[in-house]
Amino acid sequence: MKYLFPALLISGTALFAQSKSENVVPNENLITENIPAIPKSLNNKIKKYSESRGANFTAIHPNGKELIMVTRFASTNQLHHLSKALGNRKQITFFDEPVNSADYEPKKGEYLVYSKDIGGNEFGQLFKLDLKSMESTLLTDGGRSQNGGMRWKKDGSGFYFSSTKRNGGDRDIFFMNPLKPNETKLVLELKGGGWGINDISADGSKLIIGEYVSANESFLYMFDVITKKLEPITDRNEKQVVQGGAKFSKNADEIWYVTDRDNEFARLASMNLKTKKISYFTSDIPWEIEDYSLSKDQSKIAFTTNESGLIKLYLMDTSSKKYSEIKGLPVGLINNIEFSDDGKSLFFSQSTFDSSSDIYRMDVTTKNIERWTDSEQGEMQKSQMAQPKLIEWTSFDKMKISGFYYPAAKSFTGKRPVLINIHGGPEGQSMASSLGSGNYYTNEMGVALIYPNVRGSSGFGKTYIASDNGFNRMNSVKDIDALLDWIAKQPELDKDRIMIMGGSYGGFMTLATAYEYADRIRCSVDIVGISDFNTFLKNTEEYRRDLRRAEYGDERDPKMSAFFTKIAPLNNTDKIKKPMFIIQGTNDPRVPVTEAIQMRDKLKAQGNTVWYLEAKNEGHGFRKKENVDYQRLAVIKFMQEFLLN
């Protein structure tokens, strides 16, 4: 017998080790509760879908022939150098934290200034990267301040930038020579967190300053660097008008900008600064101007339109004001448009349903388009990537709501379960993009995906984007109820197997749907979601608080606070009947981790099925690949247990 007990102990240890080795082990930064063991076989199966990457450019060299681009080869996005079309990408930053933006010094391009935060806390700090020594130098305070929005002086002697470092809540304007960061000066003290620099004049004497109040309201100002005077360009008393993206024209008394003044959609316009006369140039396009870029010689403008979640590219001559669409581009999404300094090239990033984002160059004269990157899609084949269909349904008040529907693979028969994925914002927008790793749901699980653009989404005009504000908050939740009705009418979809998932404001929508329509869904996944607007507004970072009050309502108003109390998922947990998965980043500055914890604890206390995943090194959503991979596996396991069965 004395030999039997050690043998049993050794055998048990071996069995435990074997069992552990057969399952995915969460890394040391992940806090998990109630998530069952995930077999490595599932991880192996999904690798076909989880190894894709994309590419975006962030800076064009002054010579117009080289780029700094962003892509991921390890855990996080990093900066890479690219010197020709489809050339070798040379990685130049190697951090645990992602680096997603950088600017060249504008004269010789001898160094970069880039931004990086820690653990997703969004307190972006500026660094100088010498491209000869590859040495990085911290330029800002390194503390709990946000720094960014750089605008370089044309002579390269320094840049203006915005920062919250004075008190953490107000966003002021500073000037820095990155070769002498200790001499950084505060040039304009402001009140509020929505301020930023739109443009700098050619002689460096004036800045166009923008004030963002909400998705429905913004204003423009002129700041004289010499006299220190800030003068309004637009009327501060004119409410509910968007006026932004301003740039100096080649005419001294004129600016270009984008505004929805006197129109449902934002148009490209110019304003005479003396007479205040406004001229509109895209009135015949019944869609939103998404973005635009002005060439350095100010002779050309490239702009994009957002047409129900598809992006089109146009080129305009600023003298004649004539423009035309760039033909021959695949249908998809276009962003990050920028001219080279010589005006000969227009660089942009594009993605489609069957490819992630890649970089392209257009010859401005010939309109020929050249692909500069061809990002790997892992083992996925284009034929295996779900193609979105634009769908539309009618909500309770006859408002038309739309979204994108990705059908399950044709190899699956019978009525298919549905995952409804709701975007954040709330002024975000779901677009006709690639599902990426989400193709696993359609191809391997036979799950159809629907990405709705409920009221409050951007891209559909200012009436639509404002239709969920304040006391109208729950009308957007009713849009999901109407979508459930639409699903019930589709012969290929199973109305009895529906999962709701969403992030940020989409997380609130997920939680609200879980209590409002508990009998119509199977389960829910809440990612960095708001569980009570009262506690959210109290605890979100100070620089965001007034900006969010403009959208959601002011919790200091007793009537609004009472409304928030009434609709809070936290106060309606008794109506939540189905399993819930809550996912959160510890360092989230937008929706604090307390929103997730209080929801988790209350659901647990009343005996609900609740899974919980928290990442100690993440913020508002996961960015590190090892965390993203585990989250994906856990969501699939959750779907297997509660949606498919």
Side-chain angles (χ1 to χ4, degrees), residues 403-441:
F404 288 101
Y405 166 37
Y406 295 78
K410 293 179 180 179
S411 57
F412 291 92
T413 59
K415 288 181 175 288
R416 304 315 311 158
V418 182
L419 189 168
I420 299 174
N421 197 328
I422 308 171
H423 67 69
E427 61 272 10
Q429 183 184 7
S430 291
M431 309 183 88
S433 59
S434 168
L435 284 181
S437 62
N439 282 289
Y440 183 89
Y441 303 139

Coordinates of all heavy atoms in Angstrom, one line a residue, residues 403-441:
G403 N -29.1 47.9 -42.6 CA -28.0 47.3 -42.0 C -27.4 46.3 -43.1 O -27.8 46.3 -44.2
F404 N -26.3 45.6 -42.7 CA -25.7 44.7 -43.6 C -25.9 43.3 -43.1 O -25.6 43.0 -41.9 CB -24.2 45.0 -43.8 CG -24.0 46.3 -44.6 CD1 -23.7 47.5 -44.0 CD2 -24.1 46.2 -46.0 CE1 -23.6 48.6 -44.8 CE2 -24.0 47.3 -46.8 CZ -23.7 48.6 -46.2
Y405 N -26.3 42.4 -44.0 CA -26.6 41.0 -43.7 C -25.6 40.1 -44.4 O -25.4 40.1 -45.6 CB -28.0 40.7 -44.1 CG -28.4 39.3 -44.2 CD1 -28.0 38.3 -43.3 CD2 -29.3 38.8 -45.2 CE1 -28.4 37.0 -43.4 CE2 -29.7 37.5 -45.3 CZ -29.3 36.6 -44.4 OH -29.7 35.3 -44.5
Y406 N -24.8 39.3 -43.6 CA -23.9 38.3 -44.1 C -24.5 36.9 -44.0 O -24.5 36.4 -42.8 CB -22.6 38.4 -43.3 CG -21.8 39.7 -43.5 CD1 -22.2 40.9 -42.8 CD2 -20.7 39.8 -44.3 CE1 -21.5 42.1 -42.9 CE2 -20.0 41.0 -44.5 CZ -20.4 42.1 -43.7 OH -19.7 43.3 -43.9
P407 N -24.9 36.3 -45.0 CA -25.6 35.0 -44.9 C -24.6 33.9 -44.5 O -23.4 34.0 -44.7 CB -26.1 34.7 -46.3 CG -26.0 36.0 -47.0 CD -24.9 36.8 -46.4
A408 N -25.1 32.9 -43.9 CA -24.3 31.7 -43.6 C -23.9 31.0 -44.9 O -24.6 31.2 -46.0 CB -25.1 30.7 -42.7
A409 N -22.8 30.3 -44.9 CA -22.3 29.6 -46.0 C -23.4 28.6 -46.6 O -24.2 28.1 -45.9 CB -21.1 28.7 -45.7
K410 N -23.4 28.5 -47.9 CA -24.5 27.7 -48.6 C -24.4 26.3 -48.3 O -25.4 25.5 -48.5 CB -24.4 27.9 -50.1 CG -24.7 29.4 -50.6 CD -24.5 29.5 -52.1 CE -24.9 30.9 -52.5 NZ -24.7 31.1 -54.0
S411 N -23.3 25.8 -47.7 CA -23.2 24.4 -47.3 C -24.1 24.0 -46.2 O -24.4 22.8 -45.9 CB -21.7 24.1 -47.0 OG -21.3 24.9 -45.9
F412 N -24.6 25.0 -45.4 CA -25.5 24.7 -44.3 C -27.0 24.8 -44.8 O -27.4 25.7 -45.6 CB -25.3 25.8 -43.2 CG -24.0 25.6 -42.5 CD1 -22.9 26.4 -42.9 CD2 -23.9 24.8 -41.4 CE1 -21.7 26.2 -42.3 CE2 -22.6 24.6 -40.8 CZ -21.6 25.4 -41.2
T413 N -27.8 23.9 -44.3 CA -29.2 23.8 -44.7 C -30.0 24.1 -43.5 O -29.6 24.1 -42.4 CB -29.5 22.4 -45.3 OG1 -29.2 21.4 -44.3 CG2 -28.7 22.2 -46.6
G414 N -31.3 24.3 -43.8 CA -32.2 24.6 -42.7 C -32.1 26.0 -42.2 O -31.3 26.8 -42.7
K415 N -33.0 26.4 -41.3 CA -33.0 27.8 -40.7 C -31.7 28.0 -39.9 O -31.4 27.2 -39.1 CB -34.2 28.0 -39.9 CG -35.5 28.1 -40.7 CD -36.7 28.3 -39.7 CE -38.0 28.6 -40.5 NZ -38.0 29.9 -41.2
R416 N -31.1 29.1 -40.2 CA -29.8 29.4 -39.6 C -29.9 30.3 -38.4 O -30.7 31.3 -38.4 CB -28.8 30.0 -40.6 CG -28.6 29.2 -41.9 CD -28.4 27.7 -41.6 NE -27.4 27.5 -40.6 CZ -27.4 26.3 -39.9 NH1 -28.3 25.4 -40.1 NH2 -26.4 26.1 -39.0
P417 N -29.1 30.1 -37.3 CA -29.1 31.0 -36.2 C -28.5 32.4 -36.6 O -27.7 32.4 -37.6 CB -28.2 30.3 -35.2 CG -27.4 29.3 -36.0 CD -28.2 28.9 -37.2
V418 N -28.7 33.4 -35.8 CA -28.3 34.7 -36.2 C -27.6 35.4 -35.1 O -28.0 35.3 -33.9 CB -29.6 35.6 -36.6 CG1 -29.2 37.0 -37.0 CG2 -30.4 34.9 -37.6
L419 N -26.5 36.1 -35.5 CA -25.8 37.0 -34.5 C -26.0 38.4 -35.0 O -25.7 38.8 -36.1 CB -24.3 36.7 -34.5 CG -23.3 37.3 -33.5 CD1 -22.0 36.6 -33.5 CD2 -23.1 38.8 -33.7
I420 N -26.6 39.2 -34.1 CA -26.8 40.7 -34.4 C -25.7 41.4 -33.7 O -25.6 41.4 -32.4 CB -28.2 41.1 -33.9 CG1 -29.3 40.4 -34.6 CG2 -28.3 42.6 -34.1 CD1 -30.7 40.7 -34.1
N421 N -24.9 42.1 -34.4 CA -23.7 42.8 -33.9 C -23.9 44.3 -34.0 O -24.0 44.9 -35.1 CB -22.4 42.4 -34.6 CG -21.2 42.8 -33.8 OD1 -21.1 43.7 -33.1 ND2 -20.2 41.9 -33.9
I422 N -24.1 45.0 -32.9 CA -24.5 46.4 -32.9 C -23.2 47.3 -32.6 O -22.5 47.2 -31.6 CB -25.5 46.7 -31.8 CG1 -26.7 45.7 -32.0 CG2 -26.0 48.1 -31.9 CD1 -27.7 45.7 -30.8
H423 N -23.0 48.3 -33.5 CA -21.9 49.2 -33.4 C -22.0 50.1 -32.2 O -23.1 50.4 -31.6 CB -21.6 50.0 -34.7 CG -22.7 51.0 -35.0 ND1 -22.9 52.1 -34.3 CD2 -23.7 51.0 -36.0 CE1 -23.9 52.8 -34.8 NE2 -24.4 52.2 -35.8
G424 N -20.9 50.8 -31.9 CA -20.8 51.8 -30.8 C -21.0 53.2 -31.3 O -21.4 53.4 -32.4
G425 N -20.7 54.1 -30.5 CA -20.8 55.5 -30.9 C -21.5 56.4 -29.8 O -20.9 57.0 -29.0
P426 N -22.9 56.5 -30.0 CA -23.8 55.8 -30.9 C -23.7 56.2 -32.3 O -24.3 55.6 -33.2 CB -25.1 56.1 -30.3 CG -25.0 57.4 -29.6 CD -23.6 57.4 -29.1
E427 N -22.9 57.3 -32.6 CA -22.8 57.8 -33.9 C -21.8 57.1 -34.8 O -21.3 57.7 -35.8 CB -22.5 59.3 -33.9 CG -21.2 59.7 -33.2 CD -21.3 59.9 -31.7 OE1 -22.3 59.6 -31.1 OE2 -20.3 60.4 -31.1
G428 N -21.5 55.8 -34.5 CA -20.7 55.0 -35.4 C -21.6 54.6 -36.6 O -22.7 54.9 -36.7
Q429 N -21.0 53.7 -37.4 CA -21.7 53.2 -38.5 C -21.2 51.8 -38.9 O -19.9 51.7 -39.1 CB -21.7 54.1 -39.7 CG -22.5 53.7 -40.9 CD -22.4 54.6 -42.1 OE1 -21.6 55.5 -42.1 NE2 -23.2 54.3 -43.2
S430 N -22.0 50.8 -39.1 CA -21.6 49.6 -39.7 C -21.5 49.7 -41.2 O -22.5 50.2 -41.8 CB -22.6 48.4 -39.3 OG -22.5 48.2 -37.9
M431 N -20.4 49.2 -41.8 CA -20.2 49.4 -43.2 C -20.0 48.1 -43.9 O -19.8 47.1 -43.2 CB -19.1 50.4 -43.4 CG -19.3 51.7 -42.6 SD -18.0 53.0 -42.9 CE -18.7 53.8 -44.3
A432 N -19.9 48.1 -45.2 CA -19.8 46.9 -46.0 C -18.4 46.4 -46.0 O -17.7 46.5 -47.0 CB -20.3 47.1 -47.4
S433 N -17.9 46.0 -44.9 CA -16.5 45.6 -44.7 C -16.3 44.1 -44.7 O -17.2 43.4 -44.7 CB -15.9 46.2 -43.4 OG -16.6 45.8 -42.3
S434 N -15.0 43.7 -44.7 CA -14.7 42.3 -44.5 C -15.0 41.8 -43.1 O -14.7 42.5 -42.1 CB -13.2 42.1 -44.8 OG -12.8 40.8 -44.5
L435 N -15.5 40.6 -43.0 CA -15.7 40.0 -41.7 C -14.4 39.6 -41.0 O -14.4 39.4 -39.8 CB -16.7 38.8 -41.8 CG -18.2 39.1 -42.0 CD1 -18.9 37.7 -42.1 CD2 -18.7 39.9 -40.9
G436 N -13.4 39.4 -41.8 CA -12.1 38.9 -41.3 C -12.3 37.6 -40.6 O -12.9 36.7 -41.2
S437 N -11.9 37.5 -39.3 CA -12.0 36.3 -38.6 C -13.5 35.9 -38.4 O -13.8 34.7 -38.1 CB -11.3 36.4 -37.3 OG -11.9 37.4 -36.4
G438 N -14.4 36.9 -38.5 CA -15.8 36.6 -38.4 C -16.4 35.6 -39.4 O -17.5 35.1 -39.3
N439 N -15.6 35.4 -40.5 CA -16.0 34.4 -41.5 C -16.1 33.0 -40.9 O -16.7 32.1 -41.5 CB -15.0 34.5 -42.7 CG -15.3 35.6 -43.6 OD1 -16.3 35.7 -44.3 ND2 -14.4 36.6 -43.6
Y440 N -15.4 32.8 -39.7 CA -15.6 31.5 -39.1 C -17.0 31.3 -38.7 O -17.5 30.2 -38.8 CB -14.7 31.5 -37.8 CG -14.7 30.2 -37.1 CD1 -13.8 29.2 -37.4 CD2 -15.7 29.9 -36.1 CE1 -13.8 27.9 -36.7 CE2 -15.7 28.7 -35.4 CZ -14.8 27.7 -35.8 OH -14.8 26.5 -35.1
Y441 N -17.7 32.3 -38.3 CA -19.1 32.1 -37.9 C -20.0 31.7 -39.1 O -20.8 30.8 -38.9 CB -19.7 33.5 -37.4 CG -19.0 34.1 -36.2 CD1 -18.8 35.5 -36.1 CD2 -18.5 33.3 -35.1 CE1 -18.1 36.0 -35.1 CE2 -17.9 33.9 -34.1 CZ -17.6 35.2 -34.0 OH -17.0 35.8 -33.0

